[in-house]
Amino acid sequence: MSDSLTIYSLLTLFGCLVAGILFAWLLYNGTRHLSRKLRYLLAVLRTLAVTAIGFLLFFPLIRSVSYTPEKPIIIIGQDNSLSVGNIVPAGFNKAKYEQDIKLLADKLSEQYEVKLYSFADSIKNGFDFSNKGRLSNAAGFISKLNDEYLNRNVGAVIIASDGIFNRGGSPLYELDKLKAPIYTIALGDTVPKKDLQVAGVNHNSLVYLNNEFTADVQVQAFEAKGEETVLSVLENGKKIHEERVPINSAAFVKNVTVKLKAAKLGLQKYTVQLSPLSREASEKNNTQHFFVEVIDARQKILIAAAGPHPDIAALKQAIAQNKNFEVKVVLAEELNGVNIADYGLVILYQLPSVMYDATAFMNKLRLGNAAVWYVVGAQSNLAAFNQVQQQVNLSGGNTVQESYSHVNSGFTAFELDPVMVKHVEGFDPLTAPANKPLVNGQATVALQQRIGKINTDYPQLFFMTDNGKKTGFLIGEGLWRWKLSEVAEGQQDAMAFNSLVSKTVQYLSVKDDKRKFKVFTSKNTFDENENIILNAVLYNDSYVPVNKPDVELVLKNDHGVAYKFLFSRTEVAYQLDASSLPPGNYTYTASTVLGDKKHTAQGIFYVNAMVAEYQQTVANHQLLSTMSVQTGGKMYMPADLLKLLNNIKTNEQIRTLSYEDRKYEELINFKWLFALIIGLLGLEWFFRKRNGEI
């Protein structure tokens, strides 16, 4: 039923009344022996009862409407970052400002619902004037308001800040969602001060051992024309570079390129420093740290053969193009003096050979950990080849055939792009043993043989694993023809051939990590306001991850102070949240016991001091003004912030809203209606019985 009467409801109600009258007339028209007044009373009771029952049948639901008023919400956000507290204009009274903004909040709360926040690198409820936030993220603050106060009666937002926002992007892009005027209180100082800073350092985060790399340092200076500073670079605390930088303008910017050399393995800490100027506004932005991980990715590759061959030169040239590979060729008897442990990959070019079986060398190779790539050709001793390894069996004696290359579309060990595939399948044929290689075990096939125009399932280039060591097989000689055929097509540097060889060598030489206990951080460097997350994984002898044993961790800072932690268990691994830590160098040692074996893992990470709040010393009141104008608000200086009270109270857009709440209820839930019907029928029954009508 509607909350207001309609023609339909009136007609229905009238119909129920007519039905009640008709029912009463039929029942009491023949009771002339009753008194007239009694008949009329009984007819009225029956009419009302039937009408109520009809009302219940025709209107099982009724709609009720209620109105709930909601006062406007006034949100006040106080910037609690370092720059607000450290860079203040002359004459600014911090105590009076804090008193005035608290008074403003109290006065507004008399008429509005007031919400108070402090924001910096995090957002907290209530005012906080300690100014310890390492970052300032106004966009994040406004985004949080958008989420929390969606579809609420937000009357206005007051933001007290210096406009220096160094995280989260520009807040201007978030304002449209809020749909409320932004009033800003302009803190900080817009007068430029003498200041010198390292504005940024661009560098590679990963370099190779003994390689040179550059660090581009951006130096900025303000109000220091005619002065000079000294730029120094320190590696793990030791000065490795120094140069003078003259400042020749009031707003000075210069990019200084520093060449450095990666001389040590591991994570290296570099510090860029600028010598301070006299009466400088802040010296904390004169220093910046950056971190570079130095790795030794160079692999020593040995090509072992019975004698010279054009294929060996082609292989060596292709491998040497990758600066991370160091390749050496050793022939015949010279192999006996080779130390297998020095090499990550050994390419056996047609060894064992019909000219030189290299038995002593092959025995040393079998005992070592180096990966092996067999290249089988017409000079290979197939009987000896079948004996030195058990993965592939080749028969057929000296019978050979020409086999072209066909790329296996299901190969995924490394990428073969469409251009490379086209070139490879156009290579000249190799000379290979005539019979099909018999593979014992699971093989990953990159190339298959094409005999004439027929694609066969004979593997040509494929990979297997032998007791944890990767092994590769190339069935066929004549690689120099591959290179020449590509050059003949106009590719002067034989890109497809060189890439195929380089990727094959890289795949075979990369060692699989077989450690049963691993502990690692999500990254090598953290900011001082970040939580340090460490992950650990433990494997049993079947290399199935388990997490039943406890995992302990000892964390030490660069002063030797140790902290002990216990990892939490995840579904099949471990995780530790060490919270945020002070800036510095940290080493960790994790340990656990599985069965009767103790496992340990070590690592290192740095926590970097944050200087973002010192990078900009001039307040950005223009941004604050734009925020206010864009949303229909206004910017105020701290001395005038109490004028905000009158502005908000006179703003006609900030008013109480009433929310209509409509709901439907079933008449069956109204007990009084049943009581009325029973009462009417009971009263009628009483009078009928009293007068002998029952």
Side-chain angles (χ1 to χ4, degrees), residues 250-269:
F252 175 78
V253 179
K254 183 178 181 179
N255 290 320
V256 180
T257 300
V258 180
K259 288 187 177 181
L260 304 171
K261 186 174 182 179
K264 297 180 181 179
L265 287 172
L267 190 64
Q268 306 300 322
K269 178 183 180 182

Side-chain angles (χ1 to χ4, degrees), residues 620-638:
N620 191 350
H621 289 178
Q622 180 60 46
L623 175 59
L624 298 177
S625 178
T626 302
M627 292 170 61
S628 297
V629 171
Q630 182 173 313
T631 58
K634 188 177 180 181
M635 186 180 77
Y636 291 86
M637 300 307 293

